[in-house]
Amino acid sequence: MIRGMRWLTGLVFGLQILPATTAASQNVDSLMMRLDSPDWRERSVAAGALGRLPASQRPPGFADKVIALLEYEALNPDEAAIAGGEGYGEYTAELVRVVLGLDDPRALRGIALIGIGTGLAAKEFVASHGAASIPYLDEAWELSALKQDAVAQTWALMLGQFPDRLSRTERIQVLGRLIAAAEHNTRAFSIAARRSGLPELVAALNEIAENNPDPRRRAFAAYDAQPLLPVRDALAPAELHARMFDLLDAVCLDAAGDKLQTCTTLQGYLDAGYSDGNTLDTLAQQAELAEQQGILNPYEQALFAGNAQYLIKSQHLTVTRSVGASADTYIRLGDKNTNSGTESILRVQRAGDNRALLRFDKADVTALVASGTLVSAKLALTIVDNGNNWGPEGRTVEVIRLTQAWTELGATWNCATDTDMSNNQPDCPDGAWEMSDVGPNPWEPTATATMFFTNDLTGVVQFDVTADVQAFLDDAAADFGWIVMGTDTLGSGTVDFSSRENASPPQLLLEIQF
């Protein structure tokens, strides 16, 4: 310990206290030779003494020597000295300061490899040299994980403080490196995103803040996003949309295979503009799907989905989202104890009284509406077979909100939930219901929606169920779904809709304004 303190005292003397007059009085040639010493302490004293000479008094070759020495220290650090805490770090920091004072582009590699970790001035020096710095920063990133924070921050300075030193192609290359950093070192990306001043990166910071398993990383990301939020709010939608093209080009650098196809798809939606809510919403969905398929990483996905959703909300656009039925079946008067929950059709038939039951998961609907306002909700059913027996003028089919719980694999004409489907008997002590016209029936007295069915009607039919869905969302009514039935007690009429076991399941179409 005493020996180490003696050396530190000597180092301080050599690097900080040695007056210029003393340095000048020494044999300059000797100091130059000591720069080549195998002992870093000797190199330290020589570099400090020569570095404090006025530029006019420095010997020829001084710049070449210290620039080469800086690269040497970057590539050959004295691990023992570092571990021993003997002042090696102070020596390299002083060497960086000396080399920075030369303002020599030849020093770019050395400062990129070791200098950017010492402070802002070194980072700015490297960033200010634009594209020439890119390969050296790549080298530094690979050299040590400990350097990655500083490398990412230097990339950020290149993008935020010195963008004019880069062509667009070069800027995309740097942006691509910064985005890629998020997958390998979220902390490095988080700090750099804040330093960059680029509000389009907020979406990736939000991804870290919401989903990173490390609570500290989540907190850091939320903190780093804060100064970028007002910058994003001040951006015109057209400007944020334009920046998304840069993000796409950065993420898709050297893309091939499935990723190239995804990039092409996202490009198409971006090309469609920024003022159509459904286009932006589909773009977000495509990005999320690509992440689920392992094509995009979570941070790449967030940059497209997050920014697209922000454009929707900031412009108060309207989108149409859909959710498939979570349960459906149909029940039959002619077979009162049979369940049809696994069939591919939902039959509605007046003659014989077949009625369809449908339900949609409230949590799914709530998630889709999220912070928006429900404008409309429509129950969409696909006709797979029309009996064409609706009479010459047609007949009415109605959708009515159910008031009793039921199960997809237990509902029959007699039971909301039959507990034993094998015995052809009504086994529903807690789930019986009355389907006959005498009632009381397990549905509201007034139909939610009606539609006139005619012969040859095909395709998708839609029933307006906005009031019911809003009541579900507001917890003003229990969500047991709907029953679909014919209304003419004397006439015929048969239609088969596609069930959720089919290729075109029942859908709830939600129009939402944000």
Side-chain angles (χ1 to χ4, degrees), residues 150-208:
V151 172
Q153 291 176 52
T154 307
W155 285 331
L157 290 172
M158 295 171 77
L159 295 169
Q161 191 170 330
F162 300 102
D164 57 321
R165 311 292 172 87
L166 300 166
S167 67
R168 183 181 186 276
T169 298
E170 293 159 352
R171 190 169 67 253
I172 294 302
Q173 292 173 353
V174 175
L175 182 58
R177 285 162 169 78
L178 182 55
I179 293 170
E183 187 173 23
H184 304 288
N185 189 328
T186 54
R187 182 60 186 139
F189 171 81
S190 183
I191 297 171
R194 173 167 52 88
R195 285 278 180 91
S196 74
L198 300 178
E200 59 267 34
L201 299 181
V202 166
L205 290 173
N206 288 342
E207 170 67 25
I208 299 170

Side-chain angles (χ1 to χ4, degrees), residues 324-396:
S326 58
D328 63 14
T329 187
Y330 72 95
I331 56 178
R332 330 176 206 182
L333 174 62
D335 204 350
K336 295 183 178 181
N337 298 305
T338 295
N339 173 265
S340 304
T342 60
E343 292 196 22
S344 62
I345 63 166
L346 301 171
R347 177 163 292 169
V348 174
Q349 181 179 5
R350 183 63 227 180
D353 262 344
N354 288 190
R355 300 170 180 177
L357 309 176
L358 305 101
R359 185 173 65 246
F360 296 82
D361 191 277
K362 180 183 175 182
D364 290 343
V365 175
T366 301
L368 289 177
V369 175
S371 60
T373 299
L374 182 69
V375 177
S376 70
K378 295 180 180 179
L379 174 63
L381 302 174
T382 300
I383 296 173
V384 294
D385 185 43
N386 186 339
N388 293 324
N389 56 348
W390 298 93
E393 297 181 358
R395 295 187 176 92
T396 301

Side-chain angles (χ1 to χ4, degrees), residues 234-508:
L235 272 188
E239 175 61 21
L240 181 57
H241 180 256
R243 293 183 181 213
M244 289 180 69
F245 283 97
D246 287 352
L247 294 175
L248 182 68
D249 288 345
V251 167
C252 297
L253 279 172
D254 303 321
D258 290 340
K259 188 165 188 177
L260 179 60
Q261 181 58 50
T262 293
C263 292
T264 302
T265 299
L266 296 178
Q267 175 84 46
Y269 288 111
L270 276 177
D271 286 341
Y274 60 88
S275 58
D276 180 77
N278 285 325
T279 298
L280 291 169
D281 204 41
T282 304
L283 187 158
Q285 292 170 19
Q286 289 295 316
E288 291 164 356
L289 177 62
E291 184 199 354
Q292 294 167 11
Q293 296 171 338
I295 298 171
L296 297 179
N297 68 44
Y299 314 104
E300 293 170 336
Q301 172 271 136
L303 289 172
F304 302 114
N307 281 310
Q309 295 298 343
Y310 178 81
L311 283 171
I312 290 170
K313 294 176 181 178
S314 64
Q315 298 180 89
H316 305 294
L317 300 179
T318 298
V319 303
T320 300
R321 295 174 174 172
S322 64
V323 59
S326 58
D328 63 14
T329 187
Y330 72 95
I331 56 178
R332 330 176 206 182
L333 174 62
D335 204 350
K336 295 183 178 181
N337 298 305
T338 295
N339 173 265
S340 304
T342 60
E343 292 196 22
S344 62
I345 63 166
L346 301 171
R347 177 163 292 169
V348 174
Q349 181 179 5
R350 183 63 227 180
D353 262 344
N354 288 190
R355 300 170 180 177
L357 309 176
L358 305 101
R359 185 173 65 246
F360 296 82
D361 191 277
K362 180 183 175 182
D364 290 343
V365 175
T366 301
L368 289 177
V369 175
S371 60
T373 299
L374 182 69
V375 177
S376 70
K378 295 180 180 179
L379 174 63
L381 302 174
T382 300
I383 296 173
V384 294
D385 185 43
N386 186 339
N388 293 324
N389 56 348
W390 298 93
E393 297 181 358
R395 295 187 176 92
T396 301
V397 171
E398 59 187 5
V399 171
I400 313 173
R401 178 165 61 83
L402 287 164
T403 57
Q404 184 172 340
W406 54 277
T407 59
E408 182 178 45
L409 300 180
T412 66
W413 185 271
N414 284 328
C415 298
T417 300
D418 192 310
T419 57
D420 185 357
M421 300 303 306
S422 65
N423 60 7
N424 199 32
Q425 296 293 323
D427 298 291
C428 45
D430 298 319
W433 55 13
E434 180 58 62
M435 285 288 156
S436 71
D437 292 339
V438 298
N441 303 122
W443 58 74
E444 287 292 322
T446 303
T448 299
T450 61
M451 178 170 290
F452 205 62
F453 274 59
T454 60
N455 298 332
D456 301 321
L457 179 64
T458 60
V460 178
V461 294
Q462 296 183 4
F463 297 87
D464 191 333
V465 292
T466 305
D468 286 351
V469 173
Q470 188 63 63
F472 298 155
L473 292 172
D474 294 341
D475 292 323
D479 183 5
F480 300 127
W482 296 276
I483 186 168
V484 184
M485 67 177 79
T487 59
D488 190 337
T489 58
L490 299 177
S492 60
T494 303
V495 61
D496 289 348
F497 299 112
S498 177
S499 78
R500 76 190 193 102
E501 283 74 26
N502 213 323
S504 302
Q507 297 283 314
L508 193 59

Side-chain angles (χ1 to χ4, degrees), residues 60-84:
F62 168 74
D64 295 339
K65 279 274 191 180
V66 290
I67 289 172
L69 180 58
L70 184 63
E71 286 193 27
Y72 175 85
E73 302 296 357
L75 298 172
N76 304 278
D78 191 320
E79 300 294 349
I82 294 172

